[in-house]
Every structure is written in C-alpha cells, then in structure tokens.
Amino acid sequence: MAWLRCGSYDLDRLVFETIITGYFSKPRDHFLKTFQMIDVDSNWVLTKDEFELVEKLFSKGLVEDSIENTTLKVHFFKMDGTGVITFDDFVHFLDGLQKECLEVEFNEYAKGSGRIQETDFTELLLSRTLLSEMEKDKYRGRISTRSGVDSGISFFQYSQFMNLLNDIHDLEIALRMYQIAKKPVTQEEFQRAVKVCTGTPLDDKMVKLTFKIFDEDGDGHLGHEEFMKVMKNRIRSRGTVNVEIPPKSWRAFRKCVHERMMVAAI
C-alpha cells in the first residue's frame, strides 16, 4: 500500500493504515484497544509525544527522531504541539471523516438528487471490490430482473448499510451460527443479526435490497457466503495512491483522504 501524501506532508503507515483505514473496517472495540495502546499513561487523553512514540515503534526505523509535523498532527495537537485530543474527540473526528467519504461515493451517483437507484447502489457496492466482471455481472443481473418500482435510496439508508462494514466480523459470526444450526437466513433473521451486532436495526428497504442481490435462487434465503465475500472484499479494496495535493490546509488533507478512500489498491 502506498504512503498517503498531501502536498509536502506525509502520513506514515501507522496513521493511515492502522488508525484511519483500520477504523473503517473494524468494530469499535478494536479501535478502543488501538487508542488504549497509544495512550501510554492511560488517562484517555493523547499528547503529541504519545502519538509520535507509537509512530516510531511501528515505522521499523523509517521515522526519524525529529518527526515532521503532518496535517493530521497539526489538526490534533496544534502547530506548537501543545494540544491534546480525547478519545471522544478522536472518535468524532473519524466518524465525521467516514461520513464525508461515504458522501463522496454517494454523490457520484446521486448527482444532486439526494437519492440513488438500486442499480446505482449495486454498482457502488461492487465497484470498490476486486471481483471479476463475470462475478459482478451475476449480481447486476439479479438486481435488474428483481427490481420493481424504485423509489430510490437516501444517503441515510446508504450510509447505514455501508456502516455494517464496521461490524462485519461480528456479523459474520452471527450468520455462521445459522449455518452451523442448518437454519436458512431469512430477512427477519438477517435483521435480527444486524441489530444484535450493531445495536440498530437496518432500514427495511436495505434488508429487502440485500436479499435481491444475495438471494441466489429467489427462495427468500440469504446467500451467506456470497454476501460475506462481497462485503469483506470491499474492505480489502480500500487503498491509497500518490497524488499531489496543493496547499497545506486541513481542507486539502480531507480532500486527499477522500480521493484515496475512493480508489481501490491491490
């Protein structure tokens, strides 16, 4: 995976891969453990020194003792390094960043209408994966033949579904229990599993759409392996590329992250 570069600022692998990308694809308790590891004195507040200590540990010698300020560090700890960030502030920052990344994806297809079609949703879901075109066509075919009157999908519905990626490992365990018990996963059972794993029920429209895409033979049962393959593949496809971004500003940094979250890197 390439290093993330915004103008003259470099974000090392720890910052982007372990914290930002990792947060987008891991349950909240995994992120909590990451923060606790960085928080050396266990006071739930990060200083710049604590942040840089872990950078050195994970950089395998690539980060020198005198670490240049990055846009992210300046945002968290001020230019002079005297600022601190709490766990809640850190979570709020990453939640906001994740929402903005999803908005970029969504608006690609919404084109100002505030809604996307079910076929658009399917393309968005598949486009960031490494599936072959033959595999993608299988899902495209299902949605094209099973879609009736399409009232569209709102950003709330889209982001709620995509946020399942944050708890996908727990959801996989929950769905596997049905396999072990040799019980089919119906829409009701899928909804129950989602609520148990995330604490919030998935919008009914998104449940029905999930089954339109991943119910292989139309018998009302979720194709568990297909669903998990696409969802986990989408996580692995998130990556970075090198693009020059002008000014050293917070807005430029966010734009930089948005662009990289939109590109799949092998």
Side-chain angles (χ1 to χ4, degrees):
M1 185 178 285
W3 283 37
L4 178 64
R5 182 173 181 84
C6 296
S8 64
Y9 286 113
D10 290 332
L11 295 178
D12 58 80
R13 292 187 180 97
L14 172 71
V15 175
F16 190 69
E17 294 180 19
T18 303
I19 297 179
I20 295 179
T21 305
Y23 174 76
F24 290 160
S25 60
K26 296 290 192 299
R28 180 61 56 87
D29 63 336
H30 288 210
F31 174 67
L32 175 60
K33 291 172 184 175
T34 301
F35 188 94
Q36 288 175 317
M37 180 185 67
I38 301 174
D39 183 17
V40 178
D41 53 12
S42 301
N43 64 351
W44 292 98
V45 171
L46 287 188
T47 64
K48 185 180 179 185
D49 287 342
E50 288 176 322
F51 198 79
E52 290 183 345
L53 172 62
V54 181
E55 281 188 308
K56 293 177 185 178
L57 291 174
F58 279 78
S59 68
K60 298 180 180 180
L62 294 175
V63 176
E64 302 295 333
D65 289 338
S66 177
I67 302 176
E68 180 187 6
N69 268 345
T70 63
T71 309
L72 187 61
K73 287 187 206 169
V74 171
H75 179 71
F76 286 158
F77 308 111
K78 302 179 181 179
M79 185 63 73
D80 61 5
T82 61
V84 297
I85 184 168
T86 66
F87 177 73
D88 289 341
D89 289 341
F90 208 6
V91 169
H92 179 71
F93 158 74
L94 290 173
D95 279 344
L97 185 58
Q98 183 177 31
K99 181 181 177 183
E100 289 189 40
C101 290
L102 289 174
E103 284 177 338
V104 171
E105 288 186 333
F106 183 85
N107 289 330
E108 238 189 310
Y109 287 83
K111 303 185 186 308
S113 69
R115 302 186 79 81
I116 60 175
Q117 301 303 301
E118 292 182 352
T119 52
D120 297 331
F121 171 84
T122 306
E123 286 299 326
L124 272 169
L125 184 61
L126 298 174
S127 63
R128 313 303 174 195
T129 71
L130 303 178
L131 299 177
S132 67
E133 283 303 309
M134 184 178 296
E135 288 179 292
K136 292 179 181 180
D137 285 342
K138 174 176 62 178
Y139 300 115
R140 291 168 180 148
R142 289 177 192 171
I143 202 66
S144 65
T145 57
R146 295 174 180 176
S147 288
V149 178
D150 189 353
S151 59
I153 298 163
S154 67
F155 175 71
F156 171 79
Q157 291 169 320
Y158 175 71
S159 61
Q160 188 188 40
F161 180 90
M162 290 303 174
N163 284 336
L164 288 179
L165 293 173
N166 296 334
D167 296 284
I168 197 62
H169 303 293
D170 291 337
L171 185 57
E172 180 180 24
I173 293 171
L175 294 177
R176 189 176 295 154
M177 292 176 65
Y178 290 100
Q179 277 193 319
I180 294 172
K182 297 183 179 179
K183 282 187 60 178
V185 179
T186 63
Q187 291 189 25
E188 292 74 19
E189 297 294 355
F190 179 73
Q191 180 70 280
R192 181 167 175 265
V194 169
K195 187 174 181 180
V196 167
C197 295
T198 67
T200 306
L202 186 62
D203 184 271
D204 286 341
K205 179 180 178 65
M206 300 311 294
V207 173
K208 292 176 182 176
L209 181 53
T210 300
F211 275 70
K212 286 181 182 179
I213 299 172
F214 297 108
D215 177 359
E216 183 176 4
D217 53 13
D219 63 356
H221 301 157
L222 182 72
H224 166 266
E225 292 184 0
E226 286 188 340
F227 173 74
M228 292 309 308
K229 179 180 180 180
V230 171
M231 296 294 278
K232 292 170 77 172
N233 198 291
R234 197 178 198 277
I235 291 175
R236 288 195 298 268
S237 299
R238 292 174 175 182
T240 62
V241 292
N242 288 321
V243 179
E244 287 299 322
I245 302 293
K248 304 174 184 178
S249 66
W250 179 241
R251 183 178 180 183
F253 166 73
R254 292 191 305 171
K255 181 176 183 291
C256 188
V257 174
H258 290 167
E259 291 177 352
R260 282 147 184 77
M261 293 301 292
M262 291 292 290
V263 178
I266 298 177

